[in-house]
Amino acid sequence: MSLSLNQRTTRRWTVAEAVDGCVRHGLEAVGLWRENVAEQGLAESVKLVREAGLRVSSLCRGGFMTAGGLPGDEGRRAFARALDDNRRAIDEAAELGAACLVMVVGGLPGVTPGEPLPAGTADAGGAGGTGDGGVAAGGFSRDLAGARERVAEALAELAPYAGERGVKLALEPLHPVYCPDRAVLSTLGQALDLSLAYPEEQVGVVVDTFHVWWDPRLSEDIARAGRRIASYQVCDYLHPLPADVLLARGMMGDGVIGFPPITKAVLAAGYTGDVEVEIFNADIWAADPDEVVATMKARYEDVVLATG
Amino acid sequence: MSLSLNQRTTRRWTVAEAVDGCVRHGLEAVGLWRENVAEQGLAESVKLVREAGLRVSSLCRGGFMTAGGLPGDEGRRAFARALDDNRRAIDEAAELGAACLVMVVGGLPGVTPGEPLPAGTADAGGAGGTGDGGVAAGGFSRDLAGARERVAEALAELAPYAGERGVKLALEPLHPVYCPDRAVLSTLGQALDLSLAYPEEQVGVVVDTFHVWWDPRLSEDIARAGRRIASYQVCDYLHPLPADVLLARGMMGDGVIGFPPITKAVLAAGYTGDVEVEIFNADIWAADPDEVVATMKARYEDVVLATG
């Protein structure tokens, strides 16, 4: 395993700056984000990582493909848009030679990430009408099982497309705190079960310590995943959570996660890819990126690899 | 199934007031909290519920028995204190004739509920030293697997004690967001597996919609639990979370949970007990308790039982 910088950890860096930073700090791989790649330009980004001799450990991210659970034309259009966008993401991942395209599958249909629930659904009047999984006007769906079916349907469309382009889709289970708005995939076991219908080179899973550290089945599901593990991402889980739960990710050692058992299990499962550090954190984003990378390297050795 | 008021929903009410409120609103059962019972007096509380003809659907709560994971004498003393306190809780549940004693098992050893992590453990210096599950001075343990073993050990002591007194311990899995500080039991399946070593009348599990709604294995684990379900508690899961995640519980219909599939599964599992509404929520605590109970009754019918 080898350390990789997910560029979101050094959020102010462009692709060019992140590539330079990786080279300067002796890292062999970088995880890129689609919006940064778009700003840099896809062709230019490809050129930068190739000339620097870096591996692209992942492209973040595809997914958000549950809105098909909205009723009627709204749902059909949303599903089609999601497939189109994911095909573009797959094309970009292929161009970049990314080891995988990380898939954050989306939350309940109609719930926008980080936004309050749509008006008119969460009051008394709407409660009965939507409790059975139906959707109030302009609203969202509480049909969690249905949302999960939409993910499986989208995957059936996208996995062959990815396979033809040599791209591996990496299904990322997110901490259950993100189930309403970001990912109805909530456990590694669930993501793994979904992947099994496809060849290993088409669909894998992400083990992100932040999202899965609490899971009582983690060890056995990591072992069961084996070579399905497409990405091992590490960061810590802060406690208490900050007001914006999206920013609850911390530098390894700053939170509650005991990394060694997880790292050992991932190694024992046969994972030999890069280990990405991906941290969303206001303090880390405000700090000097070079200092962040230096700390990240030290903590990776001291905390993540401290399996002895 | 019959509706029960968990008195924490009407937080300002004493035991006497909650009992009166249940009678006034035609409820047949009440869930009580130990601190309220202590304030009212145990004997007086017993008298009040008996004279009112109410069932005590649960006593909240025992548990917090992971601190034995701290090293040396500190751990041994904490474990002994936890057992003593839980034996007292069992005695109180027996006196009250409670249907179960709800067990919130505790988080990582040394982490106080709702408090920041202990100083001196979450910095760089302490990270390596505690990453393997060890404990920094004055600190906490990141050994999650070990904390879970402490729960099993405590249960082995307490289950027979409860059994002799006719009390059922109800293991409550809490949402993974509470894993650091309140409960290392994070899924219904995990709680159920832990219960299986004991007779059904000694150890059961709680299905609380707030905590388990996201679980992809929920339906099958409810079915597997069958008559092990000691309590069905309902409230909604608010989104986004409030700054204090403890107060993220909402009135049924105000959040993201689709209740009917869960209610159907609990009924199909053979549950015939009371359904407690337990809501921690600043707005609901500020409202007129009688209005809260009236709303609760209406939402129970319209949202929780809307299985048609």
Side-chain angles (χ1 to χ4, degrees), chain B residues 127-238:
Chain B
T130 60
D132 61 354
V135 179
F140 70 101
S141 170
R142 292 184 174 89
D143 181 7
L144 178 57
R148 288 168 169 164
E149 287 167 19
R150 297 297 85 70
V151 173
E153 288 171 10
L155 195 62
E157 298 284 332
L158 296 172
Y161 185 91
E164 288 164 14
R165 283 148 190 85
V167 170
K168 182 184 289 188
L169 304 177
L171 299 173
E172 182 163 25
L174 260 56
H175 192 288
V177 81
Y178 302 114
C179 189
D181 62 340
R182 296 181 191 275
V184 294
L185 284 187
S186 304
T187 66
L188 180 61
Q190 181 194 14
L192 180 58
D193 289 344
L194 194 55
S195 77
L196 296 178
Y198 304 95
E200 199 171 271
E201 63 275 15
Q202 275 180 27
V203 184
V205 295
V206 180
V207 176
D208 181 320
T209 53
F210 177 88
H211 293 304
V212 301
W213 71 276
W214 56 270
D215 187 347
R217 300 175 68 98
L218 184 59
S219 294
E220 69 189 85
D221 280 334
I222 287 174
R224 189 162 69 93
R227 291 176 49 81
R228 288 271 171 186
I229 300 174
S231 177
Y232 180 39
Q233 295 189 334
V234 295
C235 76
D236 217 327
Y237 181 96
L238 299 182

Side-chain angles (χ1 to χ4, degrees), chain A residues 155-220:
Chain A
L155 194 62
E157 298 284 332
L158 296 172
Y161 185 92
E164 289 165 14
R165 283 147 190 86
V167 170
K168 182 184 289 189
L169 303 177
L171 300 173
E172 182 164 25
L174 260 56
H175 192 287
V177 82
Y178 302 115
C179 188
D181 63 340
R182 296 181 191 275
V184 294
L185 283 188
S186 304
T187 66
L188 180 61
Q190 181 192 14
L192 179 59
D193 289 344
L194 194 55
S195 77
L196 295 179
Y198 304 95
E200 198 170 272
E201 63 275 15
Q202 275 179 26
V203 184
V205 295
V206 179
V207 176
D208 181 319
T209 53
F210 177 88
H211 293 304
V212 301
W213 70 277
W214 56 271
D215 187 346
R217 301 174 68 97
L218 184 58
S219 293
E220 70 189 85

Side-chain angles (χ1 to χ4, degrees), chain A:
Chain A
M1 297 199 307
S2 168
L3 182 60
S4 171
L5 172 68
N6 183 292
Q7 76 169 127
R8 190 49 60 100
T9 302
T10 51
R11 193 186 188 190
R12 74 178 84 159
W13 275 354
T14 64
V15 169
E17 288 168 332
V19 166
D20 281 351
C22 286
V23 170
R24 193 160 60 246
H25 290 274
L27 301 178
E28 298 173 10
V30 66
L32 298 177
W33 277 66
R34 290 183 71 199
E35 49 263 56
N36 299 99
V37 169
E39 279 171 27
Q40 191 77 56
L42 178 59
E44 173 73 7
S45 297
V46 169
K47 186 161 173 280
L48 285 166
V49 293
R50 295 235 169 110
E51 289 182 357
L54 293 180
R55 295 184 294 276
V56 178
S57 49
S58 77
L59 179 65
C60 299
R61 55 195 184 185
F64 291 100
M65 47 204 192
T66 55
L70 293 172
D73 280 350
E74 188 184 0
R76 277 188 288 276
R77 280 195 300 267
F79 192 69
R81 274 197 307 272
L83 291 182
D84 283 348
D85 186 58
N86 276 290
R87 289 191 193 101
R88 281 193 297 275
I90 290 165
D91 293 343
E92 293 160 22
E95 285 292 309
L96 288 161
C100 63
L101 174 65
V102 172
M103 301 291 279
V104 173
V105 300
L108 292 173
V111 179
T112 305
E115 298 291 320
L117 298 178
T121 55
D123 60 1
T130 59
D132 61 353
V135 179
F140 71 101
S141 169
R142 292 184 174 89
D143 181 6
L144 178 57
R148 287 167 169 163
E149 286 167 19
R150 298 296 86 71
V151 173
E153 288 171 10
L155 194 62
E157 298 284 332
L158 296 172
Y161 185 92
E164 289 165 14
R165 283 147 190 86
V167 170
K168 182 184 289 189
L169 303 177
L171 300 173
E172 182 164 25
L174 260 56
H175 192 287
V177 82
Y178 302 115
C179 188
D181 63 340
R182 296 181 191 275
V184 294
L185 283 188
S186 304
T187 66
L188 180 61
Q190 181 192 14
L192 179 59
D193 289 344
L194 194 55
S195 77
L196 295 179
Y198 304 95
E200 198 170 272
E201 63 275 15
Q202 275 179 26
V203 184
V205 295
V206 179
V207 176
D208 181 319
T209 53
F210 177 88
H211 293 304
V212 301
W213 70 277
W214 56 271
D215 187 346
R217 301 174 68 97
L218 184 58
S219 293
E220 70 189 85
D221 280 333
I222 287 174
R224 189 162 70 92
R227 291 177 49 81
R228 288 272 171 185
I229 300 174
S231 176
Y232 180 38
Q233 295 189 335
V234 295
C235 75
D236 217 327
Y237 181 97
L238 299 182
H239 176 82
L241 293 177
D244 181 350
V245 295
L246 192 64
L247 306 183
R249 301 172 74 100
M251 188 61 77
M252 300 79 76
D254 286 353
V256 298
I257 299 177
F259 287 91
I262 306 177
T263 297
K264 277 184 197 166
V266 169
L267 282 168
Y271 184 73
T272 56
D274 295 306
V275 183
E276 273 188 24
V277 174
E278 184 191 44
I279 307 179
F280 300 19
N281 179 300
D283 293 335
I284 287 175
W285 287 344
D288 173 15
D290 275 292
E291 286 181 18
V292 169
V293 176
T295 303
M296 174 186 97
K297 286 179 64 175
R299 297 289 186 89
Y300 177 68
E301 295 292 333
D302 293 347
V303 178
V304 179
L305 297 184
T307 54

Side-chain angles (χ1 to χ4, degrees), chain B residues 258-273:
Chain B
F259 287 91
I262 307 177
T263 297
K264 278 184 198 167
V266 169
L267 281 169
Y271 184 73
T272 56

